[in-house]
Amino acid sequence: ALPISGQTLPLQLFRPQEVSMVRNVIQRDRTFAVLAYSNGREVDAQFGTTAEIYAYREEHEFGIDTVKLKAVGRQRFKVMEIRTQADGIKQAKMQIGRA
């Protein structure tokens, strides 16, 4: 789901690469990007919204590290380029503003 500015986005993550990414985001500025795509292919995303984490909790359930968080939508952006890291996490070059 793509949050709009001011909307809350609750997430529960358990994939190791996603948990690692969120830990890095928490140590930095607590902001990440949510890409919008309609045909099931992230590489075709043309816009998205930044989201700022305001509640964060790590749990260890059934031998799996889990992150539960709540973020709020902040700014829309236009996707300029998308690349995939070796761990499968997507990174986008973007332009903040009207999308």
Side-chain angles (χ1 to χ4, degrees):
L2 182 68
I4 58 174
S5 183
Q7 182 181 18
T8 296
L9 176 67
L11 293 173
Q12 181 170 333
L13 307 171
F14 55 88
R15 290 178 42 209
Q17 60 270 40
E18 292 171 345
V19 171
S20 176
M21 177 196 69
V22 168
R23 286 176 179 153
N24 288 334
V25 167
I26 287 293
Q27 292 174 0
R28 293 184 183 147
D29 64 1
R30 303 177 77 88
T31 301
F32 63 98
V34 181
L35 298 177
Y37 53 99
S38 59
N39 62 1
R41 291 173 33 122
E42 290 174 337
V43 295
D44 293 334
Q46 296 181 12
F47 62 94
T49 303
T50 62
E52 182 181 359
I53 298 169
Y54 68 87
Y56 169 84
R57 183 173 75 225
E58 286 194 42
E59 296 180 357
H60 190 76
E61 298 175 343
F62 310 109
I64 299 172
D65 286 334
T66 303
V67 170
K68 295 180 180 179
L69 64 88
K70 289 183 182 177
V72 63
R74 292 290 184 214
Q75 292 181 294
R76 300 216 7 148
F77 61 82
K78 181 177 180 178
V79 175
M80 307 305 284
E81 177 185 334
I82 297 176
R83 68 180 184 89
T84 304
Q85 298 179 158
D87 62 3
I89 298 295
K90 306 284 186 226
Q91 286 191 332
K93 189 180 287 188
M94 57 195 186
Q95 180 180 12
I96 299 289
R98 292 202 157 142

